[in-house]
Amino acid sequence: MKNPLFTSTRFIVAIVITLFMFFPIYWMLITALKTSSELRMAVPSFWPEKLMWENFASAFKAIPFYRFTVNTVIQTVGIVFLQINIGVMAAYAFSKGAFPGRDALFVLVLAALIVPEQVVFVPIYVMLSKIGWINTYYALIIPHAASAYGIFLLRQMFRSINNDVIEAAKVDGASRLQVLYRILTPMAMPTVATLTVISFIHSWNAYFWPLVMTNSNKMRVLTVGISMMRDSIAGDEALNFHLLMSASILVILPIVIMFVFAQKYIVAAMANSTFK
């Protein structure tokens, strides 16, 4: 029998932690809705005197927001599409294929998880520069076309599927690609959805790589645009910090919406991602 006092204490602690975690988001939101005069007050207010929704329109005009959004969408969609398809094919080979060195090769793929991006960006930059891909969508997308974590996640899912299902499909005349995309992939849809969300969030939030691989506003993405906006108001934060917060909310809004609708898939896939 559960102790009511212990249960109540856990509930209160959970509420306090939740409020503590949510407070930075709340503060960003109310800052985005304040006037510049409120930002200069000695004692900050916990609610705007007047909700300044027009701050979002002003933030949209402060940087080439539309161009940066288009670049971010192209980069994100390209990376997600490639990571899902390459991940599905690689996971199929590592889970159901039989070839020499399969497990050793998979360990090498997992080893890529511990290599920081900052370690390998110089040789990749030099290589992309020699083939003329700097400041192009190719430089933003291709180096992140495969995800070691995605391959691992899908491999664990495919390993849990009985081989009899594959053999039955082959007896009915299905090719390897048909088995992969018509049998295994639909059965692994929760994992695919989770990988899509994770890849989307990572690609949408990417900052370092787009900053290094692009050098003109024509190819900049939203995260770099926010950094440019912050630099432009340096020394004048008290007047324009609300615009920076408004732009930040516009940038993270797609991620929040996607996470709200897909959080159940993320929890389910994480629970299934143990070594089998």
Side-chain angles (χ1 to χ4, degrees):
M1 183 177 179
K2 293 183 178 179
N3 188 330
L5 180 60
F6 179 70
T7 303
S8 301
T9 303
R10 285 199 309 173
F11 185 69
I12 293 172
V13 170
I15 291 177
V16 172
I17 293 176
T18 301
L19 293 175
F20 181 78
M21 299 292 290
F22 182 74
F23 185 76
I25 303 297
Y26 166 77
W27 197 255
M28 182 171 69
L29 179 60
I30 64 169
T31 302
L33 295 173
K34 288 181 178 179
T35 62
S36 58
S37 59
E38 284 188 85
L39 294 178
R40 295 196 299 271
M41 293 172 62
V43 180
S45 60
F46 283 82
W47 189 255
E49 296 177 356
K50 180 183 177 183
L51 297 177
M52 298 293 291
W53 296 106
E54 52 267 41
N55 287 346
F56 291 99
S58 300
F60 198 89
K61 297 175 183 176
I63 56 176
F65 212 95
Y66 176 75
R67 183 67 208 179
F68 292 168
T69 302
V70 170
N71 292 338
T72 305
V73 170
I74 293 175
Q75 172 194 250
T76 303
V77 171
I79 291 176
V80 170
F81 176 80
L82 290 175
Q83 285 192 358
I84 294 298
N85 283 279
I86 292 176
V88 164
M89 289 187 282
Y92 179 51
F94 284 128
S95 61
K96 302 299 181 184
F99 54 90
R102 185 191 68 174
D103 293 338
L105 190 57
F106 180 66
V107 171
L108 286 178
V109 171
L110 290 182
L113 289 171
I114 63 175
V115 180
E117 185 177 67
Q118 287 77 7
V119 174
V120 297
F121 91 91
V122 172
I124 295 178
Y125 181 89
V126 172
M127 183 176 63
L128 295 181
S129 179
K130 287 185 177 179
I131 60 178
W133 279 11
I134 299 301
N135 213 37
T136 66
Y137 290 120
Y138 298 118
L140 294 175
I141 297 173
I142 299 302
H144 293 91
S147 165
Y149 178 69
I151 294 172
F152 163 74
L153 208 62
L154 289 165
R155 174 184 177 270
Q156 299 306 106
M157 181 61 204
F158 287 166
R159 280 170 62 89
S160 67
I161 298 176
N162 197 312
N163 289 336
D164 292 343
V165 176
I166 300 174
E167 296 302 324
K170 288 181 178 178
V171 170
D172 289 340
S175 64
R176 289 183 181 274
L177 283 179
Q178 288 174 329
V179 170
L180 178 58
Y181 283 103
R182 293 187 179 181
I183 306 295
L184 296 183
T185 302
M187 295 177 71
M189 194 49 68
T191 304
V192 172
T194 301
L195 181 58
T196 300
V197 174
I198 294 175
S199 178
F200 179 90
I201 294 174
H202 185 267
S203 304
W204 190 272
N205 282 334
Y207 171 74
F208 176 76
W209 197 263
L211 177 66
V212 173
M213 294 298 163
T214 60
N215 52 34
S216 72
N217 285 347
K218 184 180 177 181
M219 293 303 301
R220 295 294 195 189
V221 298
L222 284 171
T223 50
V224 179
I226 292 294
S227 177
M228 293 167 55
M229 189 174 178
R230 182 197 59 199
D231 295 340
S232 69
I233 66 172
D236 202 17
E237 290 88 348
L239 291 176
N240 296 306
F241 198 68
H242 56 310
L243 299 183
L244 183 60
M245 293 298 101
S246 301
S248 299
I249 290 175
L250 291 175
V251 171
I252 68 173
L253 195 58
I255 296 175
V256 174
I257 294 174
M258 173 164 277
F259 184 80
V260 167
F261 283 102
Q263 58 179 326
K264 64 178 182 181
Y265 295 114
I266 295 177
V267 174
M270 293 300 173
N272 291 329
S273 62
T274 55
F275 281 97
K276 296 179 180 177

